Amino acid sequence: MLLAIDVGNTNTVLGVYDGKNLLDHWRLETSTRRTSDEYGILLRQLFQVSGIDPGVVRAVAVSSVVPPLQFNLERMSERYFKTRPMFVGPGVKTGMPILYDNPREVGADRIVNAVAAYDKHHRGVVVVDFGTATTFDAVTPKGEYLGGAICPGINISMEALFQNASKLPRVEYARPPHVVGRNTVHSIQSGLLYGYVGMVDGICTRMQAELGFEVRVVATGGLAPLVASESKVIHEVDEFLTLEGLRIIYGRNHAS
């Protein structure tokens, strides 16, 4: 079995695979202050609740955009799962040519998402990931990673608005009753939701025009479903895209 770990700046998503079958998954807060033992004990508790024996995990694959956590995750993996983890990065075979000016600059999560989306569709794709940052990643019909765009994430924008506008409250990220808000909460919700929908549709439309080939737009990340429900360009939401990419890349590096 494989334990896949996607470490983002805000959340860490974990999944356990038996072959291609995702047995269970969990979402945790990312904390650089959590020790290797705390991660190990927490994971063992999650496994216990799900009825999964930690002893059957034979491999660990990690995609991380938080470098300070690498050492603790290595120690956790070696002590609690008796295996050295594979971190997606330079030297790891992804099966995807990276056409970025400097391939080392591309976040591991962006490559993992691109690999998973192309493996699923085998055509030109644009992946929109609603994480701490909202990222757009374009892949050619040949399966080459081209690049994309990076924007502030929805939660970053919400916090910036709250912290810098003294009379504006924190609000739930939800669909308001009307685009034209009749009170402050609904007005903020309208701006956040439809503002991001407009941004996503605008950037994807411009990418489509520039790329010169048809693309399938795949969204992932915790806030993807709400934006996708209003978007005119998002074709599908794939909640487990990054975990799937980790499974695929691990397989390409440890083919039997």
Side-chain angles (χ1 to χ4, degrees), residues 38-182:
E38 286 173 320
Y39 269 111
I41 292 166
L42 181 54
L43 275 173
R44 282 186 170 273
Q45 290 175 331
L46 292 171
F47 273 60
Q48 185 176 7
V49 169
S50 297
I52 301 171
D53 178 9
V56 300
V57 171
R58 293 287 180 266
V60 177
V62 184
S63 163
S64 176
V65 296
V66 186
L69 272 177
Q70 180 161 336
F71 178 71
N72 282 346
L73 290 175
E74 282 181 357
R75 290 189 62 182
M76 179 275 294
S77 178
E78 290 168 358
R79 178 171 184 181
Y80 291 89
F81 297 100
K82 311 300 185 219
T83 185
R84 189 171 181 82
M86 180 201 78
F87 283 83
V88 176
V92 171
K93 291 185 293 184
T94 63
M96 177 170 284
I98 311 298
L99 305 186
Y100 224 52
D101 290 342
N102 181 358
R104 291 174 178 267
E105 287 182 3
V106 189
D109 54 335
R110 300 177 70 187
I111 299 301
V112 172
N113 284 341
V115 166
Y118 184 76
D119 185 79
K120 182 177 181 180
H121 297 290
H122 290 285
R123 56 174 293 182
V125 292
V126 169
V127 179
V128 187
D129 187 352
F130 295 92
T132 306
T134 298
T135 57
F136 299 77
D137 297 293
V139 181
T140 72
K142 294 181 181 178
E144 303 158 316
Y145 179 87
L146 283 177
I150 304 173
C151 310
I154 294 169
N155 284 323
I156 287 178
S157 295
M158 290 172 65
E159 281 302 302
L161 195 61
F162 170 73
Q163 290 177 11
N164 292 286
S166 58
K167 293 186 71 174
L168 296 183
R170 275 196 179 97
V171 301
E172 176 191 7
Y173 189 69
R175 181 186 290 104
H178 309 282
V179 178
V180 180
R182 309 289 171 81

